[in-house]
Amino acid sequence: MQKYYDVVCVGGGGAGVTAAITASALGAKVALLSKEPVGGGDTKISFGAMAYPGVSPGDSPEKFYCDLIKSGEGLADKELVKTMAERGRRAVSIAENQGLLFWRDSEGLISQKVAGFTGGHTFPRTVSTLPGGGVAYSNALRAATARSNVEVYEDTVVYRIYTAEGRVCGVACLDLASGESFVIRCPAVVLAGGGGGWLFYPHTDNNRGQCADSLALAFAAGAELVDLEQVQFIPFGLTHPGSMVGVFLGEPNIAAPGGILLNAAGDLLLRDLHRLNRAEVTRTMALALSRGEGSKYGGLLLDLSPNLKSEEGRSLWKFRADRGQLDVLRWTYGEKAFRWEEPLDVAPTVHYLMGGIKVDARGQSSLPGLFAAGQAAGGLHGGNRLGSVSLAEIYIFGEIAGQTACRWAQKEACPELPADQAGGAGARIKKMYGMNGKFSPAQLTAQLQELMWQAMGPAREAQTLSRGYGKLLEIARLAGDPMEIPQQQVYNLSVLEALELEGMIAVAGMMIQSALAREETRGAHLRLDYPRRDDQNWQCRLVWRQTPDGPAMFREEAGGC
Amino acid sequence: MLKIHVLRSRPGLDPFWQEYQLPAEDGEGQTVLSALIDIRRKQDETLAFRYGCRYQRCGLCAVEVNGRPRLACRYKLEDGQKIAPLSGLPVVKDLVVDRRILWTAYRQYGLFVVEHITDRPPEIRVDPIYHQLARCSECLACLAACPRYQSREPGFWGPWLFVRLAMLKLDPRDTIDRMEQASRFRPDGCRGCRGCFCPSGVPAGKALQLFLP
């Protein structure tokens, strides 16, 4: 028995929920499918800082547009940026209409008095929900979902998109809780499953679900991907103990006003780093680490003790300590580290994927009936993402994708599901239970994650990229053989991992090839062997597309800046 | 070597304790979560548990350690610990509890601000405690800790429900009489055990107090 929906939204973060409730409010029959409880993903664990362009006097959509284009280092899609600049103001209202409540000034207004400066923006544009942070967003997303007519399927993994007559006609899903797979017939799918930081675990601050699922699903169905070499790192992640590697410590602005960055030998690498953006600080760190200047943990030393000598520095410490931003230091590095009395061992950690599913300004991918929004979509940020823009993006483009998907579903008939494909998928899952093999999906995933960090880390070069690709091919071969998977159907994490691994291998391959191809340094992509930006040869973006000969990469002229 | 015990379960079988042995890592730093991840990767793939962020934000990894609800990612691993799923919630498998049940409460009790559409953010003054309550990650540790919830009182959703109702009561945009609604759950029936310990620092006790006469 097949279920039918007009629109299926995949991913329960800000973009997926907003797309779902928007489409539903416009009259579509909508299902929201999420691997985890709705309201999760990277949205929930963010710090809750959203861009509110125009909150400061003198700010304008034109100025926001310029900041976004400049940040994208020539790769940002101008149509997407234009949409973001024009509509960006609305994100705060979309979120508050869902039930979120931003921090206000003493007059009860979200004004410039509560707006902060985030690196790369030329005006204070950042408003927040502190102390709740991203968790406050999660609560509002769940409440808004409950308020709507959207039908919710949690603990549910989408592992295949079906197409017929050149367009989307359905999805294959696995209900983790029961272990049963089922099929949904639908003419429109919005992919909003987030980014791919988990490909680099533990060197990521991302949520466990961020396995680039949506990218893999889209590509397998025939949609284009873009900018896959552009991976944003946060410069300051923890380096120890093992259980906490990669966990977020701070942005460059944590160093304000007088913090400095040293290598393990104590040589000065950077001062005034609070004025620099994530990519600039990450680059300096990556270069130092590639020169072998790191600590035994693979980190560099962030010395914030100079701040203790000034009134401004001491009050900033207190500001952060009161808001719990330094708690993680207390129970990993200890009391002295918490008080900034000793240097902090830090290393870059994967934070965001600028690349993703290629979409137009209506959220439409290159495959009719397939839409994407949020971190899963690529092109808006080009080579570098400005802080706080992602949380605005998920509401703006989530809403747009929901509108476009709804219109599509109401206009286009849904083709019949191809009987052979639909039957085959369920059988494939059934075969996995109790499979015997040499390796488990978790073991192969760990190998993939290790090679991705080595090859696609903050500092890349041809040799390690090629070596990494070779290792990936080996993992792909092993994953093609039977893997070791437990028998029991209910909540079988190994089956989940096997499905995720398949997607991670496909996307990792394209990411590495993109990084190998781009022989220059641009945005977040740093090549030690090509340390300069090469506008003459590389003012273009890299697009992946299925061809009769298999996956192929194309250059597409980019707007420049 | 450290020895820990995990309460396993699966449909059709009675729950049973399984012992795992792990090498103690050099120095500090192993958490209950990192141990569970390690066990899955190296010893026992069948073990099921939830986790998300590894640093105390998402709330997915809440379990009971030696009978008390904790966030596994935040709790130090120690020899002899007994790890079990949160009490009183339907167990899917091993340490995984069914979180879908919350939708029943959301929809039945209208735990959302009734549609309030504005073009631009309105002037709103809200008690600062609202923002403290908004930190609730729905880890459900408070349900596991609440004796009244554990007694399976029909329709009672523990401290979590009062936190949600309190947020709505404090939200000037909400139009429902939450005081009246909360009274149906007898806030005065709280036993005052102060067990509603919240790993995220949400003042659940204060939420309850808002509804006491």
Side-chain angles (χ1 to χ4, degrees), chain B residues 68 142 144-149 159 189-197 208:
Chain B
R68 290 206 65 191
C142 62
C146 175
R148 219 180 126 193
Y149 180 77
C190 170
R191 297 171 200 185
C193 67
R194 295 184 184 276
C196 46
F197 143 82
L208 181 79

Side-chain angles (χ1 to χ4, degrees), chain B residues 149-170:
Chain B
Y149 180 77
Q150 295 300 320
S151 72
R152 296 180 188 278
E153 189 182 306
F156 182 66
W157 286 85
W160 169 79
L161 176 61
F162 288 113
V163 169
R164 303 303 299 188
L165 288 173
M167 281 177 65
L168 290 160
K169 178 178 189 295
L170 294 171

Side-chain angles (χ1 to χ4, degrees), chain A residues 44 139 142 147 175 243 497, chain B residues 29 40 58 100 113 138:
Chain A
K44 187 174 190 184
N139 288 321
R142 288 172 66 76
R147 183 175 75 189
D175 172 8
S243 58
E497 285 163 345
Chain B
R40 263 204 92 247
C58 70
R100 300 171 181 184
V113 175
E138 300 195 339

Side-chain angles (χ1 to χ4, degrees), chain A residues 44 46 93 96-97 99 103-104 106 108 139 142 147 150 154-155 175 204 208 243 245 440 490 494 497, chain B residues 29 40 45 50 52 54 57-58 93 100 103 107 113 116 122 124-125 131 134 136-138 164 173:
Chain A
K44 187 174 190 184
S46 72
S93 296
E96 289 212 327
N97 288 339
W103 197 257
R104 283 163 158 76
S106 51
N139 288 321
R142 288 172 66 76
R147 183 175 75 189
V150 171
E154 291 181 328
D155 293 332
D175 172 8
T204 180
R208 186 237 167 274
S243 58
V245 169
S440 69
V490 169
S494 296
E497 285 163 345
Chain B
R40 263 204 92 247
E45 294 265 327
R50 287 190 202 271
R54 303 186 288 145
R57 289 190 147 248
C58 70
K93 182 171 161 193
R100 300 171 181 184
W103 295 103
R107 292 193 151 128
V113 175
H116 194 268
I124 293 178
R125 273 167 239 263
H131 293 290
C136 170
S137 66
E138 300 195 339
R164 303 303 299 188
R173 304 167 300 179

Side-chain angles (χ1 to χ4, degrees), chain A residues 35-38 44-48 52 89-90 92-93 95-110 128-156 175-178 198 201-209 241-248 327-328 331 440-443 445-446 449 484-494 497, chain B residues 8-12 25-35 37-38 40-60 71-76 91-94 96-103 105-108 110-140 160 163-164 167-168 170-173 200 202:
Chain A
K35 280 195 307 197
E36 294 174 357
V38 163
K44 187 174 190 184
I45 63 174
S46 72
F47 281 83
Y52 185 16
R89 240 200 111 85
R90 286 182 34 89
V92 161
S93 296
E96 289 212 327
N97 288 339
Q98 288 180 7
L100 190 59
L101 212 53
F102 283 93
W103 197 257
R104 283 163 158 76
D105 64 23
S106 51
E107 260 108 76
L109 299 168
I110 309 178
S128 87
T129 53
L130 285 175
V135 169
Y137 286 66
S138 176
N139 288 321
L141 290 169
R142 288 172 66 76
T145 303
R147 183 175 75 189
S148 74
N149 290 324
V150 171
E151 291 177 41
V152 178
Y153 295 78
E154 291 181 328
D155 293 332
T156 301
D175 172 8
L176 277 174
S178 66
W198 206 248
Y201 173 82
H203 304 276
T204 180
D205 63 4
N206 278 192
N207 176 288
R208 186 237 167 274
S243 58
M244 298 297 288
V245 169
V247 167
F248 177 94
D327 282 352
V328 74
W331 58 279
S440 69
Q443 288 169 327
T445 303
Q449 290 162 334
E484 183 73 13
I485 294 178
Q487 173 76 49
Q488 232 250 320
Q489 269 195 209
V490 169
Y491 215 88
N492 188 319
L493 282 177
S494 296
E497 285 163 345
Chain B
R8 310 286 309 273
S9 68
R10 62 189 67 146
E25 229 175 58
D26 288 321
E28 310 275 293
Q30 270 176 311
T31 59
V32 170
L33 177 64
S34 67
I37 292 173
D38 223 46
R40 263 204 92 247
R41 280 196 171 180
K42 298 183 185 146
Q43 293 183 49
D44 185 357
E45 294 265 327
T46 68
L47 183 58
F49 52 92
R50 287 190 202 271
Y51 67 105
C53 66
R54 303 186 288 145
Y55 60 100
Q56 199 189 343
R57 289 190 147 248
C58 70
L60 288 179
L71 289 180
C73 67
R74 180 70 170 85
Y75 205 69
K76 196 166 158 234
V91 177
V92 176
K93 182 171 161 193
D94 298 338
V96 178
V97 295
D98 186 355
R99 291 174 171 275
R100 300 171 181 184
I101 57 171
L102 294 175
W103 295 103
Y106 269 102
R107 292 193 151 128
Q108 195 173 355
L111 298 180
F112 41 76
V113 175
V114 177
E115 205 86 21
H116 194 268
I117 307 298
T118 58
D119 271 343
R120 44 186 68 233
E123 179 190 315
I124 293 178
R125 273 167 239 263
V126 71
D127 188 321
I129 207 180
Y130 172 93
H131 293 290
Q132 292 294 338
L133 297 171
R135 297 167 68 181
C136 170
S137 66
E138 300 195 339
C139 71
L140 306 185
W160 169 79
V163 169
R164 303 303 299 188
M167 281 177 65
L168 290 160
L170 294 171
D171 191 329
R173 304 167 300 179
S200 301
V202 172

